[in-house]
Amino acid sequence: LEFRRVLFRSTYQTSLHHYSGSAQHHRAEVHFKIGNLYMRLGDVENALGAYEASYQIQPNSMELLANMGSALRQLGRLEEAHTTYMRAADLAPNNPHLLYAIGDLLYARGNVEAATETIALAFAKGLENRTAYDSFLALLRAQGRDREADAWEKKRLLEP
């Protein structure tokens, strides 16, 4: 009888812990989705608040950190955006969309060379965005790197 009580209590506590974790994850997801809705509405301040609420519950989400970085960037909080993007990059170092966002932020902060290299890495990792690609080529040409821009264009034309 005592063995059954211990087993039941252990199973109950394990189940309770599992449910509590699921509920926490669900709340983080709800805050994240609310943040995304605010971003679509152009309400960046409230989006950031929702993302921060999600972060308090689940801080190891690359997508959440990337979206927080984007909100911070739009609010002009470039240093915080950079720190947040770098935390996201620690979780997903080869994500081409995140690499592009970091490169774009580096450009906004005036670090043109690092921006160019990071954006080039984003394309090398598989980023497919024609507008971003055209901006990247213009960035190369503005730096007098015409041959490099020509090589990127040629490579793009040869890809299926």
Side-chain angles (χ1 to χ4, degrees):
L1 184 61
E2 183 62 26
F3 175 74
R4 286 184 184 176
R5 243 183 266 161
V6 169
L7 181 62
F8 174 77
R9 191 174 302 137
S10 173
T11 304
Y12 174 76
Q13 287 174 342
T14 301
S15 296
L16 185 61
H17 177 73
H18 177 73
Y19 176 76
S20 174
S22 292
Q24 288 285 74
H25 174 76
H26 180 69
R27 280 204 323 261
E29 188 68 23
V30 168
H31 286 297
F32 177 73
K33 288 180 179 181
I34 289 170
N36 290 344
L37 288 172
Y38 276 127
M39 285 295 277
R40 284 190 203 112
L41 293 171
D43 189 346
V44 182
E45 285 281 349
N46 279 321
L48 181 58
Y51 292 146
E52 287 171 340
S54 181
Y55 179 80
Q56 294 302 315
I57 300 165
Q58 191 172 36
N60 293 321
S61 166
M62 183 284 299
E63 191 174 8
L64 170 63
L65 289 166
N67 287 13
M68 281 179 66
S70 177
L72 288 162
R73 186 195 189 302
Q74 288 184 45
L75 293 170
R77 295 163 57 181
L78 303 185
E79 187 62 37
E80 291 172 84
H82 185 260
T83 300
T84 304
Y85 279 146
M86 297 314 289
R87 274 192 255 141
D90 287 342
L91 298 171
N94 294 315
N95 183 294
H97 299 283
L98 181 58
L99 289 168
Y100 183 81
I102 292 169
D104 184 56
L105 178 63
L106 289 167
Y107 182 78
R109 295 176 71 197
N111 194 339
V112 177
E113 188 173 317
T116 305
E117 300 312 314
T118 305
I119 293 169
L121 182 58
F123 286 111
K125 297 289 183 180
L127 182 67
E128 293 182 16
N129 181 313
R130 186 65 199 182
T131 303
Y133 194 75
D134 291 342
S135 296
F136 171 62
L137 295 176
L139 180 59
L140 287 171
R141 292 191 192 290
Q143 295 174 66
R145 296 166 68 175
D146 293 327
R147 285 187 181 167
E148 193 175 345
D150 291 343
W152 276 95
E153 279 187 304
K154 184 177 180 181
K155 179 183 174 192
R156 175 100 176 164
L157 292 172
L158 294 175
E159 291 178 352

